[in-house]
Every structure is written in C-alpha cells, then in structure tokens.
C-alpha cells in the first residue's frame, strides 16, 4: 500500500490544470449503457473510480478504449448481463448509477445494495422509489435490488429526502425516464452541475430534457438514444481543494480551466475569511497573504456549500484566528478527518453533525490515516503547512478522486511524495 509524505512550509505558486469532474464522469459513463452507437468522451479524469466504473461496464457488455488524443470511446456490444455485483458496488458507491440505464434499456437491473461507507449511512430508497414511480417492480434478493419493468411510463415524482435531494438518485431517475413512454416530471431534482452535465450529454444522444440545473426536470421519453461526443465539465471539488491549498500556504495559484460559477458558495466563504479569489481569463486565481479569519459554514445541496469540500475547509480553518463552526447537513457523520487533524495539533471538537474549530497558530507533522477520499485531501492540505513531516497511510483513497495530486502539487512547489511499500 502506498503512503504520502508531505513536508510543510512551502508557499505554493504557479498554475494547476483542473481535471474533468469525477462526479460528472461516473454517471455519464453509466449513461453509455443507454446508447446505440459510439460514445466519445473528452476530459475524463483517469482515476481509480473511473477505472472501477469501466470494469463494471465491461462486465455489462460495454467495450471501451482510451484514444491517442486522450478521449475515451465506448460502445455497448452485449446486453445480456444486468448484474452489478457487490464486490464492485461496495468498492464504489457510484456503481448504483447503472440502475436507471439498465432498467430503461434492458428492462431489468440487479444491483447490489451499496451499504454504508466511511462518510456515513448511504441509503438508496429515493433511487428505488423513482424506478417504482416509473412502473418498475422491485424486490430485495440476497442483498441485491432486483428491478423489472416490461415498460416504463412517464410520471410525476418527488425526489426530496430527509437531507435534500439525491444527486445520483436524480441521475438514475433521468436516465430511466429518457426511454420511458411519455413525460416525466422530477420535482426536487438535484441541481448540481454534474446533473446538468449528464443531461447535456443525454441531450447530445437525442434525449428530450429541459429544466436541468433547476429543481424541476422535465423528460419527454424517446424510443432510442444514439451515441455522441461530449466534454466532461471541470471538477469543482478538485478546484476547491486547490483553492484551499493556495489559501493554507499563503500562496498564489492559477487554477486553469476552473469554472468559478460552479463554486460561488465556496468563493463567498473563502473571501469572508480573507482569501483573494479572482476570475482570470482561463480560470480562477486564488491567493492569500495573512492569517485568516474564522467563519461559520453549513453544507447544503447545490448551490450551497458542498459537503465534498467540508473536510478541506475544516483543515484551513484549523489555522484561523478564532473559532469556526462547521455543520454538515448532507452527511452528518462525515468527520473522520477530525481525529487525524487533532493528531497534527488542531483543536476541533465534534458535537453531532457539527464541529467547533478553535484556531491554533501551527500544525505539526504526524503519522495519520486516510479514511476516505475528501478526508485524505484534508490531511494533505494540513500537511502542506505543518511543521515537519506528515505521513498519510492508505493513499489509495486519494487516488479515487484526484488525478496525479502529488505531481500537481509538487509542480507548484509543494514538498510531497508518494512512497510505494
Ligand atoms: N439520501 C437518502 N436516500 C437516498 C439517497 C440519498 O436519504 O436514496 C440522502 C443521503 O444519505 C445524504 C443525502 O441524501 O444525506 C444526499 O446524498 P446523495 O444521494 O445526493 O449522494 P450521492 O448521490 O450518493 C453524490 C456524490 C458524493 C457527494 C454527494 C452529495 C457522486 C458519484 N457522488 O453522492 O460525492 O458527497 O452526492 O453532494 O456524485 C465524493 O465525491 O467524495 C462524494 C462522496
């Protein structure tokens, strides 16, 4: 198992190219199951989760190959298998995105229940409810969701749950509805840019969708989808992570290709603590030059502050001049980074779904353990400013969602290296 070593103290300066969005690429890859003909995807990030999705798609009869120009070409060749097995689904929860496409195209889907993960309980009741609303029958067999439908019919559905809408639940609802008979209205749909990107991809393939990017999506069913060429949007969570890297090291980074309009809530909070964020011609420029102020943050569905940046911003606020209160309303148990940050000298106290961060003057290097993707990003960020060496084990977590993070950070002056054991 690889680990990371980071020696803190370098001011980061320079340009980082932002990769394609993991959470847009994964549902779009699943959406290829709907298409007849070749799909060509550009800006697909080469991540562990993307490779896991390609393995799942291969088992479901999809042939894929990386092209010389960096694009990914996919084509469905065999529609016999409809089973996403527990071995893959338990490794990557986004595997659940094949549910809607399999049901719509092959009339049946058998997808292992994902279960919980390090960031808390991850139910799929909204996904199943959406499929049932479209006319599917469902049962639970040996831990697998079994769904069948001779025909899906357009309907009205409400996708709001106890914690807001569901991002991948909305993706599944849209992907099932595109081949249903008639009109589907998805009320309380997720508004995340990754859902908009999925809908733009499906429209390129011939789907009839409107209202994406708002809480009410309308889908008029068509009889088939063709392939198309599509470019994945830049990753707003990777962008936000590098924004924090610039802020925490009092550095200056130009995040090339980043789209500031996808990060307005984050920009608002960063400016509030004293970070400079400017829209550049080809991306976003982030810099800071003083000790930051504290701020309160509550994570919410888009356009609110994203839960996927909660851990990273917690690391930043560890060094603020005062107390910050951070509440995660999406995943109230997503705080496994807290104990590790405290090992590095932070002063964070957790009360349920909230943490109170008492700013300290410095963090110190220590051996720490990554528990999940965004927690591991937070630990690396803390390592960038810590005195001494931070050694983070279980590096595979970061590889799920950050493309070549050590190369990108080293390229702007960080002292970071991956050590293979
Ligand atoms: N929820 C339900 N019922 C459901 C589904 C979700 O109650 O059927 C709840 C969840 O427990 C949570 C809330 O609804 O409290 C939102 O969960 P959502 O379904 O939106 O999460 P997701 O679709 O499983 C995606 C991202 C996550 C990101 C969340 C929230 C992908 C592949 N994953 O997950 O990304 O944290 O939305 O924005 O898009 C990550 O990249 O690190 C990551 C975990």
């Amino acid at each position: 198992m690889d680990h990371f070593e980071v020696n803190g103290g370098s001011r980061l300066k320079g340009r980082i190219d932002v990769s394609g969005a993991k959470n847009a690429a994964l549902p779009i890859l699943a959406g290829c199951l709907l298409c007849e003909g070749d799909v060509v995807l550009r800006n697909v990030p080469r991540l562990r989760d993307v490779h896991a999705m390609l393995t799942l798609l291969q088992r479901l009869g999809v042939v894929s190959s990386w092209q010389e120009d960096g694009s990914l070409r996919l084509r469905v060749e065999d529609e016999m298998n409809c089973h996403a097995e527990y071995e893959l689904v338990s490794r990557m929860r986004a595997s659940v995105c094949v549910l809607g496409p399999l049901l719509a195209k092959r009339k049946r889907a058998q997808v292992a229940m994902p279960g919980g993960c390090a960031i808390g309980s991850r139910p799929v009741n909204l996904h199943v409810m959406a499929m049932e609303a479209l006319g599917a029958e469902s049962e639970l067999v040996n831990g697998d969701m079994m769904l069948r439908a001779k025909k899906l019919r357009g309907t009205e559905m409400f996708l709001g749950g106890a914690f807001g809408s569901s991002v991948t639940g909305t993706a599944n609802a849209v992907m099932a509805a595109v081949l249903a008979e008639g009109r589907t209205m998805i009320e309380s749909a997720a508004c995340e840019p990754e859902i908009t990107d999925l809908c733009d991809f499906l429209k390129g393939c011939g789907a009839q969708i409107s209202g994406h990017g708002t809480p009410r999506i309308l889908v008029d069913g068509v009889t088939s989808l063709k392939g198309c060429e599509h470019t994945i949007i830049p990753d707003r969570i990777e962008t936000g992570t590098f924004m924090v890297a610039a802020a925490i090291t009092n550095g200056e980074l130009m995040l090339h290709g980043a789209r500031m309009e996808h990060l307005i809530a984050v920009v608002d909070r960063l400016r509030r603590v004293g970070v400079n964020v400017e829209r550049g011609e080809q991306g976003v420029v982030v810099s800071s030059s003083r000790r930051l102020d504290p701020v309160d943050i509550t994570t919410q569905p888009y356009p609110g502050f994203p839960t996927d940046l909660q851990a990273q911003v917690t690391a930043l606020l560890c060094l603020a001049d005062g107390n910050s209160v951070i509440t995660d309303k999406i995943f109230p148990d997503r705080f496994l980074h807290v104990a590790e940050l405290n090992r590095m000298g932070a002063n964070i106290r957790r009360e349920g779904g909230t943490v109170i961060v008492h700013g300290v003057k410095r963090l110190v290097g220590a051996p720490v353990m990554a528990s999940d993707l965004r927690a591991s990003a937070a630990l690396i960020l803390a390592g960038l400013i810590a005195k001494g060496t931070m050694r983070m084990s279980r590096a595979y977590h970061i590889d799920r969602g950050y493309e070549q993070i050590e190369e990108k950070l080293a390229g702007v002056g960080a002292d970071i290296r991956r050590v293979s054991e």
Side-chain angles (χ1 to χ4, degrees), residues 163-167 188-196 212-215 233 236-237 259-266 298-309 330:
F163 300 91
S165 189
S166 164
V167 179
S188 198
C191 303
E192 271 67 5
E194 293 77 15
I195 292 296
T196 305
H212 42 305
T214 79
I233 55 169
R236 66 192 166 101
I237 305 302
R259 283 174 61 176
M260 191 148 127
E261 65 271 27
H262 290 166
L263 282 149
I264 297 301
V266 178
T298 300
T299 70
Q300 281 166 338
Y302 191 83
F305 192 96
T307 172
D308 290 343
L309 283 171
I330 312 285

Side-chain angles (χ1 to χ4, degrees), residues 124-163:
V124 285
N125 57 308
L126 294 170
H127 301 240
V128 175
M129 187 273 286
M131 300 304 112
E132 287 177 343
L134 288 161
E137 285 178 9
S138 76
E139 59 177 328
L140 189 62
V141 180
N142 294 333
D144 288 348
M145 296 177 271
M146 304 273 280
L147 285 109
R148 278 197 179 74
K150 284 207 182 79
K151 192 177 203 130
L152 294 179
R153 286 203 170 80
T155 185
E156 289 173 11
M157 65 173 81
F158 178 72
L159 264 193
F163 300 91

Side-chain angles (χ1 to χ4, degrees), residues 207-266:
Q208 303 268 333
I209 305 172
S210 60
H212 42 305
T214 79
R216 179 183 290 174
I217 299 179
L218 293 177
V219 184
D220 287 300
V222 296
T223 50
S224 66
L225 294 187
K226 55 186 174 48
C228 78
E229 290 195 16
H230 181 81
T231 302
I232 306 285
I233 55 169
D235 196 311
R236 66 192 166 101
I237 305 302
E238 189 201 28
T239 304
T241 303
F242 291 136
M243 285 175 157
V244 174
I248 207 167
T249 62
N250 272 342
E252 180 173 341
L253 292 179
M254 148 64 174
L255 304 174
H256 187 257
R259 283 174 61 176
M260 191 148 127
E261 65 271 27
H262 290 166
L263 282 149
I264 297 301
V266 178

Side-chain angles (χ1 to χ4, degrees), residues 78 113 369:
D78 181 349
M113 289 277 282
M369 195 186 286

Side-chain angles (χ1 to χ4, degrees), residues 17-29 41-47 49-50 66 94 167 192-198 230-239 257-259 262-263 308 373-374 400-403 408:
D17 290 329
V18 175
S19 294
K22 165 179 88 79
N23 290 346
L26 294 173
I28 287 175
L29 286 170
L41 299 176
R42 304 188 196 287
N43 208 25
V44 179
R46 301 206 188 198
L47 301 168
D49 274 11
V50 165
W66 295 95
V167 179
E192 271 67 5
E194 293 77 15
I195 292 296
T196 305
D197 202 31
L198 169 68
H230 181 81
T231 302
I232 306 285
I233 55 169
D235 196 311
R236 66 192 166 101
I237 305 302
E238 189 201 28
T239 304
R259 283 174 61 176
H262 290 166
L263 282 149
D308 290 343
L373 170 58
R374 307 304 173 186
R400 293 189 55 187
Y402 291 90
E403 201 173 34
K408 290 191 181 188

